[in-house]
């Protein structure tokens, strides 16, 4: 008796098995892709919100430190949202501008006054307080759309700031980020 294995056996996958595996991978990818993209959008918004908040805090800190009026300015340049911190004596066009993530845009819920050159700003005086007409919010949303929003709110004349995110129902001014 010969107990050696036969070398003519078929091994591997059939075309049907390969097609079934590819179909299952495709279905799982189609289910996971929207969730992954939503996660990435929220992540980019959170980073941008943090940068806006830090810019405002930096302007407030510089104003107190140097006993001068400082601005945290925001603008859209070449479809990119930018921020700058500068003394009030410096023209915003001469300030050092920093880009936020390219997937983030300024939302229509933003309430900071817009100057003639398209710059929105928050002004901090020498003690870090904000004039009454400078209080407001910068609201960010993804360029790809959706209901996700992040905002930074200057809420008191003392320069108190807070961050917020979208809510399922609007406030009394029909804003979702409060």
């Amino acid at each position: 008796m010969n107990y050696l294995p036969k070398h003519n056996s078929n091994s591997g996958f059939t075309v049907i098995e390969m097609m079934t595996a590819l179909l299952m991978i495709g279905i799982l990818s189609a289910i996971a892709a929207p969730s992954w993209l939503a996660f990435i959008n929220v992540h980019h918004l959170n980073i941008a919100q943090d940068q806006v908040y830090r810019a405002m805090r930096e302007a407030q800190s510089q104003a107190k430190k140097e006993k001068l009026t400082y601005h945290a300015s925001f603008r859209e340049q070449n479809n990119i949202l930018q921020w700058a911190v500068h003394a009030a004596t410096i023209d915003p066009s001469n300030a050092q501008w920093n880009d936020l993530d390219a997937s983030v845009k300024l939302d229509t819920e933003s309430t900071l006054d817009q100057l003639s050159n398209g710059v929105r700003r928050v002004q901090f005086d020498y003690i870090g307080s904000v004039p009454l007409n400078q209080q407001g919010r910068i609201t960010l949303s993804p360029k790809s759309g959706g209901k996700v929003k992040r905002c930074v709110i200057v809420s008191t004349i003392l320069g108190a700031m807070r961050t917020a995110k979208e809510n399922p129902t609007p406030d009394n001014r029909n804003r979702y980020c409060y």
Side-chain angles (χ1 to χ4, degrees), residues 149-169:
K149 296 177 190 280
R150 296 291 184 267
C151 54
V152 179
I153 303 165
V154 180
S155 55
T156 69
I157 60 172
L158 297 176
M161 289 175 259
R162 64 184 175 87
T163 59
K165 64 180 185 174
E166 76 281 349
N167 287 286
T169 57

Side-chain angles (χ1 to χ4, degrees), residues 2 6 14 28-30 55 64-65 85-87 98 100 103 107 109 116 121 130 132 140 152 154 156-157 160 164 173:
N2 190 357
K6 296 180 181 180
T14 65
L28 290 174
S29 297
K64 289 179 185 179
K65 178 181 163 189
V85 172
H86 56 91
N98 303 282
L100 291 176
S103 66
D107 193 82
E109 287 188 16
S116 60
R121 71 166 188 213
V130 179
L132 194 56
L140 309 170
V152 179
V154 180
T156 69
I157 60 172
R173 294 184 189 154

Side-chain angles (χ1 to χ4, degrees), residues 63-119:
K64 289 179 185 179
K65 178 181 163 189
E66 297 186 24
K67 302 288 186 219
L68 294 170
T69 300
Y70 261 75
H71 294 170
S73 298
F74 305 92
R75 72 177 183 189
E76 285 189 287
Q77 185 80 15
N78 299 324
N79 209 23
I80 301 286
L81 188 57
Q82 298 177 322
W83 63 270
V85 172
H86 56 91
T89 56
I90 296 175
D91 185 272
S93 61
N94 295 328
Q96 180 181 348
W97 289 93
N98 303 282
D99 293 347
L100 291 176
D101 191 274
S103 66
V104 174
K105 71 176 183 173
L106 192 63
D107 193 82
T108 57
E109 287 188 16
S110 296
T111 61
L112 291 181
D113 288 337
Q114 186 169 350
L115 305 175
S116 60
N117 56 2
V119 174

